Amino acid sequence: YAKQRGKNRVERYQRRYDELLRRHSVLENELRHAIEREQLRLVFQPVVALPSMRPVGAEALLRWHHPELGAVRPDEFIPVAEESGLINMIGSWVLDQACEQLSQWLAVGHDVWVSVNLSPKELHAADYAGQVAGVLQKYGVPAQRLVLEVTEHAVATDMDELIRRLCELRSTGVRIALDDFGAGYSSLGQLRKLPVDILKIDHALVAEPESRTGTAAPLVDVVVRLGHRLGLEVLAEGIGSPAQRAIVEEAGCRLGQGSLFGWGVPAEHLEAQLETARSSGSRPVPVQRARP
Ligand code: C2E
Ligand code: MG
Ligand code: MG
Ligand code: MG
């Protein structure tokens, strides 16, 4: 009896595993044509200055809409793109589109920066810094208007090589953000060594204060202070409620992002937000560069 149950369970796992493999290979094959079939687009999520809540920047987030599969989430297709090597092609497209949009906003006088997420594979591609410089030049975008986000996961690999790559990138004048900080891997010692400009506090850390225990408010406090002591800008991600905003503000954090201020939206929508902010006449926040 038990033997039969065990056998059924193994078969269930096997079926589930086969399904996952199939899904993975379907996604990979479809992703290969997603750009030419115009299934990819970028949305932009506002980054606001705190406490004014004036939009000062935007994170470009990739969206894939497939005619049969529907909307596929980046958390599902980015790993597929990374494993298959398609990420380099897709990442180039993202960088290009984001810089084109940024150049249009700058052309109509918006005081804004744009950030783009970077996979470790892209960062380690030959002459990635040269590619970035080329795109900036193509659209005439000043380098300090572009932020490149590297995730904490990239930190788990070869530190010396990572530092070299980030230095190369920063020498083009772009700023680097360390994404999802506090979610897991990097140690405080590593943070000190990394040539980054902005620390993005992971939304898990920001969301926690509303949970029953509420133990993360002191953590947010400590991370904001740590970032500032290291000369970094600190940006809190995933702010979803006024209570969370209050905690982040009390910690002295000057940049925020999250559903409270808006999800990722098509560029036109964000532009409307920028227009409103400009006509309301709040003072612009200067673009700042961290450590020399
Ligand atoms: P991320 O860079 O940390 O992006 C933030 C994610 O949190 C986004 O999910 C965003 O929609 C979501 N988010 C924003 N505000 C809130 C909030 O208030 N609460 C909660 N719970 N979530 C919020 P999205 O767009 O699904 O992206 C997921 C991840 O996929 C990104 O995490 C990033 O790592 C990756 N990704 C997205 N676009 C690209 C891309 O163009 N290239 C690469 N390499 N990765 C990308
Ligand atoms: Mg990001
Ligand atoms: Mg993040
Ligand atoms: Mg993330």
Side-chain angles (χ1 to χ4, degrees):
Y1 226 56
K3 212 169 162 189
Q4 183 59 38
R5 251 209 331 261
K7 191 163 167 248
N8 287 344
R9 191 184 296 159
V10 169
E11 278 170 2
R12 255 198 327 275
Y13 282 140
Q14 185 65 48
R15 261 203 312 279
R16 178 85 188 111
Y17 185 68
D18 289 346
E19 268 167 35
L20 283 177
L21 278 185
R22 244 216 335 270
R23 170 88 174 164
H24 192 285
S25 90
V26 167
L27 290 182
E28 185 181 326
N29 288 330
E30 293 305 310
L31 204 47
R32 211 170 281 286
H33 309 286
I35 292 179
E36 71 208 43
R37 292 175 184 165
E38 299 184 358
Q39 295 165 355
L40 297 182
R41 67 191 171 90
L42 292 180
V43 294
F44 293 87
Q45 184 177 34
V47 172
V48 304
L50 295 173
S52 71
M53 296 205 280
R54 179 194 164 95
V56 291
E59 178 174 8
L61 294 164
L62 190 54
R63 295 292 176 260
W64 181 19
H65 191 91
H66 185 278
E68 277 104 48
L69 301 170
V72 187
R73 293 171 43 83
D75 286 329
E76 188 179 16
F77 73 79
I78 293 288
V80 174
E82 285 172 345
E83 280 163 46
S84 60
L86 288 167
I87 194 65
N88 297 84
M89 177 180 74
I90 291 171
S92 298
W93 182 86
V94 169
L95 181 65
D96 188 272
Q97 297 290 301
C99 287
E100 182 176 27
Q101 186 56 61
L102 176 56
S103 75
Q104 288 172 13
W105 283 331
L106 294 176
V108 295
H110 289 303
D111 186 10
V112 72
W113 48 263
V114 164
S115 74
V116 168
N117 291 285
L118 213 61
S119 290
K121 258 212 181 127
E122 295 177 77
L123 183 62
H124 293 288
D127 199 28
Y128 185 72
Q131 191 193 325
V132 170
V135 176
L136 291 170
Q137 200 180 13
K138 175 179 172 190
Y139 292 110
V141 169
Q144 75 273 15
R145 295 286 181 172
L146 179 66
V147 175
L148 297 174
E149 301 193 2
V150 293
T151 136
E152 241 194 332
H153 304 259
V155 176
T157 56
D158 184 346
M159 267 299 270
D160 292 339
E161 177 62 13
L162 179 65
I163 291 170
R164 239 185 336 267
R165 291 292 180 155
L166 292 180
C167 283
E168 256 172 55
L169 267 184
R170 268 179 110 237
S171 73
T172 68
V174 303
R175 291 182 297 161
I176 309 286
L178 186 59
D179 203 357
D180 303 339
F181 186 78
Y185 299 86
S186 59
S187 75
L188 297 181
Q190 287 173 325
L191 175 63
R192 194 172 53 85
K193 288 192 214 143
L194 285 176
V196 300
D197 302 272
I198 301 169
L199 193 61
K200 292 190 80 168
I201 307 178
D202 190 67
H203 49 78
L205 216 61
V206 175
E208 178 69 12
E210 289 225 319
S211 77
R212 210 158 28 87
T213 49
T215 49
L219 286 185
V220 170
D221 217 73
V222 161
V223 173
V224 171
R225 225 188 279 236
L226 170 73
H228 288 162
R229 286 293 297 272
L230 290 172
L232 308 176
E233 280 286 341
V234 182
L235 192 167
E237 280 195 286
I239 301 175
S241 70
Q244 287 167 357
R245 190 187 101 206
I247 282 165
V248 163
E249 277 176 11
E250 273 160 34
C253 190
R254 290 186 288 265
L255 292 171
Q257 189 180 348
S259 57
L260 184 66
F261 317 113
W263 292 99
V265 290
E268 318 82 80
H269 295 214
L270 189 77
E271 187 158 349
Q273 262 176 275
L274 293 170
E275 285 294 343
T276 309
R278 182 162 59 185
S279 56
S280 79
S282 47
R283 269 189 40 216
V285 180
V287 177
Q288 257 181 39
R289 197 167 163 80
R291 298 179 286 190

